[in-house]
Every structure is written in structure tokens, then in C-alpha cells.
């Protein structure tokens, strides 16, 4: 993963702030957050209360209300998160960050465009393993502690459907589920879903 932020001018006094799992990063009108450790999701709500996922972000990524015109715009910590505030006036890589946000939005739009929830979920797990996963003995570990509800909201589905499909994937040997909502994706086993 390529970090989107290299350095601020030496005059700034930026310190890392620590946020607990399921807490929210505060909005800063004139600043963005650089994620040092941990994972967050950005989302908004529709008028009927439906959650709309906007992205998943990890170490090196930049997030913040300044990158969106949506109201509300929420940044929820999926794990314990360490983040540093970046004042906009001292930061020069806005174009690169905007391009990354556009690219991720397009990738998630394509994933959500598949007709079957099974295909959407498998594509989402493959995307997560590629972007955030780490190599382990039996595949790629997605260590983000995503709940079934989190996955359902990403795909516009229900928790019950996601739970059923994850059980099916586990029976078929496509994934192994670990404690704390961690998943190992067995990439060599998913080729036939790609056809």
C-alpha cells in the first residue's frame, strides 16, 4: 500500500491522537486525518436511515469532511486508530488524495453492481484482502474486525444474508473465519466464482 502523505512543514506541531474502536474521528473544517494505525470506514445516511458506505481506509490513507459534500459524513473507527490531523494550509498532496478517493469509490461501485449478493461479497472480500490483507499460511488475512452488519452495509444487503453467505463460503472452503470477525480468504479457491 502506498502512503498518500509524506511530510508536513517543520513548523507544524502535529501529534497522534488515539481513538477507540467504534468511536468517530471528529470533523475538522480546515484539516484532514492521516491514519497511522488501524482502520476506519466512512459513510453517510439516507433520509430513511439506511447507511451508505463511502469507503474503507487504513494506514497511510487520508480522510476528512473536507473531501466530501455529503451530510452527514461519518468516520467510524473499525479498530483502535491512531491518526494525525493535517492542516490543509500546510499540505500539498490534495490531488493525489482526491484521485485515491475517486478510485476507491469506483471500485466499490463496481463491486456493488453485481446482481448476486454472493458475487458482491466474494468480490468485496477479494478487494479487502488485496488492499488491507496480509499473507498467512492458508491465504490472506483480513484483520479489520468487520461485523456481518458492516459487510451488509457495504453491499446494501442484510446482516442475515451476509451471515448465511459467509457460512456457505466457509463450508465451500473459500474462507476461514477466525475470532474477532477476522477472515482468511483462500484466494486459490475462488477462481471458479470469477468465471
Amino acid at each position: 500500500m502506498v502512503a498518500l502523505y509524506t511530510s508536513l512543514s517543520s513548523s507544524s506541531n502535529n501529534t497522534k491522537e488515539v481513538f477507540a474502536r467504534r468511536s468517530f474521528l471528529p470533523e475538522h473544517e480546515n484539516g484532514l486525518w492521516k491514519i497511522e494505525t488501524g482502520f476506519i470506514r466512512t459513510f453517510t445516511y439516507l433520509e430513511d436511515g439506511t447507511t451508505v458506505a463511502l469507503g474503507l481506509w487504513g494506514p497511510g490513507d487520508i480522510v476528512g469532511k473536507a473531501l466530501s459534500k455529503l451530510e452527514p459524513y461519518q468516520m467510524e473507527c473499525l479498530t483502535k486508530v491512531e491518526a494525525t490531523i493535517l492542516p490543509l494550509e500546510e499540505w500539498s498532496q490534495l490531488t493525489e488524495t482526491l484521485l485515491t478517493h475517486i478510485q476507491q469509490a469506483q471500485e466499490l461501485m463496481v463491486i456493488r453492481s453485481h446482481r448476486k449478493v454472493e458475487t458482491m461479497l466474494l468480490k468485496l472480500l477479494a478487494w479487502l484482502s488485496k488492499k488491507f490483507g496480509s499473507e498467512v499460511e492458508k491465504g490472506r488475512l483480513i484483520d479489520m474486525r468487520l461485523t456481518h452488519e458492516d459487510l451488509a452495509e457495504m453491499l446494501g444487503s442484510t446482516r442475515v444474508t451476509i451471515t448465511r453467505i459467509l457460512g456457505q463460503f466457509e463450508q465451500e472452503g473459500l474462507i476461514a473465519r477466525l475470532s474477532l470477525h477476522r477472515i482468511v480468504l483462500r484466494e486459490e479457491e475462488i477462481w471458479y466464482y470469477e468465471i
Side-chain angles (χ1 to χ4, degrees), residues 35 37 47 63 84 97 103 167 172:
I35 302 168
T37 63
E47 294 82 15
V63 295
T84 306
T97 297
Q103 290 164 354
E172 294 174 7

Side-chain angles (χ1 to χ4, degrees), residues 80-144:
K80 177 182 171 186
V81 170
E82 290 183 15
T84 306
I85 193 71
L86 307 175
L88 285 176
E89 68 273 2
E90 297 180 9
W91 188 62
S92 63
Q93 298 182 0
L94 188 57
T95 301
E96 196 173 333
T97 297
L98 289 172
L99 289 174
T100 299
H101 279 251
I102 291 167
Q103 290 164 354
Q104 185 173 121
Q106 290 174 346
E107 289 170 336
L108 292 174
M109 190 176 0
V110 168
I111 289 169
R112 288 190 61 169
S113 295
H114 290 278
R115 297 195 191 286
K116 295 174 67 179
V117 178
E118 291 87 350
T119 305
M120 282 193 284
L121 182 55
L122 194 58
K123 296 285 187 181
L124 179 62
L125 293 174
W127 181 79
L128 290 170
S129 76
K130 181 180 175 188
K131 183 167 174 64
F132 301 112
S134 59
E135 219 39 67
V136 294
E137 185 179 327
K138 295 182 179 181
R140 290 195 55 86
L141 174 64
I142 304 168
D143 191 11
M144 296 180 70

